[in-house]
Every structure is written in structure tokens, then in C-alpha cells.
Amino acid sequence: MRAQNLRHAASSIVVRDSGGRVYLHRRTSTKDVYPGLLDFTAGGVVLAGEEPDVGAVRELAEELGIEGVPLVSFGVADYADDATRYRAFRFCATWDGLIRWQPEEVAWGDWVTLDELVRRIDDDPETLMPDSVAVWRDTVRAWQAGATGAEIPPAPDEG
């Protein structure tokens, strides 16, 4: 799939704390796609035969050690570039507990405010995962503007 850049399904989960901050982490330098970049989503490839919401739960537990938290669906968005092509099944989780990184995937992480995240998106986009920015930018901006849920527009379907 990676070698031929085949289209696939993937989960994309933004984790926020009860104060509204977003969890931002650095990918390890050994990742096959976008090594060393900052990411404000957890997620990954949906396995063959796996439902996207089940894959999101699995990925959140594997990558950040977050379990037993409800996921809110934020719809789907398509993304494609020279490195990857996929349909993103977008979710958000609220979590105030301990984050446990998967050492093969996460090198570092911390909570950032929405203002800080938007500043990074605007001023330092080359340091962030381009797919996460593409499929979440409008939602993050809506959160920053005070939107809470139903009024947030779905991600653009770029497929």
C-alpha cells in the first residue's frame, strides 16, 4: 500500500483535554511517512474488514495509550499527496488522563492551546503533518472561534 501509494482508509483522532487544549506530539524519525514531524492527531490505517470507529479506538490505545473514552465523529475527508492517499475517518476525544506513547511512533508530546496550534498551522506549517492540517484546519479554526460541535463544518471532501 505504501510503496504504491494506494488509496486506503485511515482514522484521524484529535485529543482535547477538558480545558480545550489539543495534544501535539512529534513522530519518531523512523516513521515511514512524515518522520519527525509534529502531529495533532493520532490514528492510522484501518485494517481490512475493520470498521473505522473500531480502528480509531485501536489506534488511540496503541499510539497514545488512551482507552475507554467515547469518540465523537467529525465525518470524513479525503487526502492525497505524493506520500499517501486515503479517506480520513475523523474523530475527537476528550481526555484528561495520562498519555502513554508508543515508542515506535511517538518521540515527544504535550498539550497546546488552540491559539498555539493555529499559530503553528499559519506560521510553521512545514513542521506539521500536512494531512492532519488539510483535514482538520477548518475544524480547529472553528474551535478557536468558539464553536463547540454541531455548528462546525465537516472537512472538505477533496477526493
Side-chain angles (χ1 to χ4, degrees), residues 10-16 22 39-43 71-79 86 88-93 114 117-118 121 129-144 152-156 158:
S11 58
S12 179
I13 309 111
V14 174
V15 177
R16 299 182 70 189
V22 174
D39 199 357
F40 57 93
T41 71
L71 299 181
V72 177
S73 175
F74 274 77
V76 299
D78 289 325
Y79 180 79
Y86 65 93
F89 290 85
R90 302 177 331 129
F91 299 91
C92 186
L114 289 169
L117 183 55
V118 169
I121 289 170
M129 293 274 293
D131 55 338
S132 295
V133 170
V135 302
W136 282 100
R137 177 189 303 113
D138 293 342
T139 302
V140 169
R141 288 185 195 287
W143 284 334
Q144 183 192 34
I152 295 175
E158 300 172 6

Side-chain angles (χ1 to χ4, degrees), residues 2 7 22 37 39 54 62-63 78-79 91 104 109 121 144 157:
R2 293 277 194 232
R7 184 169 152 77
V22 174
L37 291 184
D39 199 357
V54 173
E62 287 175 5
E63 198 168 317
D78 289 325
Y79 180 79
F91 299 91
E104 298 81 17
I121 289 170
Q144 183 192 34
D157 187 358

Side-chain angles (χ1 to χ4, degrees), residues 22-152:
V22 174
Y23 196 75
L24 179 72
H25 65 275
R26 181 172 305 284
R27 294 165 60 86
T28 61
S29 60
T30 56
K31 292 291 290 177
D32 61 340
V33 178
Y34 313 122
L37 291 184
L38 295 172
D39 199 357
F40 57 93
T41 71
V45 175
V46 176
L47 302 176
E50 185 177 51
E51 292 296 319
D53 58 333
V54 173
V57 168
R58 177 182 51 76
E59 287 286 349
L60 193 55
E62 287 175 5
E63 198 168 317
L64 298 178
I66 297 173
E67 298 180 277
V69 62
L71 299 181
V72 177
S73 175
F74 274 77
V76 299
D78 289 325
Y79 180 79
D81 67 14
D82 292 340
T84 189
R85 295 183 328 127
Y86 65 93
R87 168 146 289 186
F89 290 85
R90 302 177 331 129
F91 299 91
C92 186
T94 302
W95 180 256
D96 289 310
L98 180 67
I99 303 287
R100 293 184 324 271
W101 307 325
Q102 182 178 35
E104 298 81 17
E105 295 197 34
V106 180
W108 168 92
D110 203 359
W111 297 99
V112 296
T113 65
L114 289 169
D115 289 343
E116 172 64 13
L117 183 55
V118 169
R119 186 202 63 75
R120 287 176 183 265
I121 289 170
D122 290 345
D123 298 344
D124 299 315
E126 67 282 350
T127 66
L128 296 168
M129 293 274 293
D131 55 338
S132 295
V133 170
V135 302
W136 282 100
R137 177 189 303 113
D138 293 342
T139 302
V140 169
R141 288 185 195 287
W143 284 334
Q144 183 192 34
T148 58
E151 67 275 18
I152 295 175

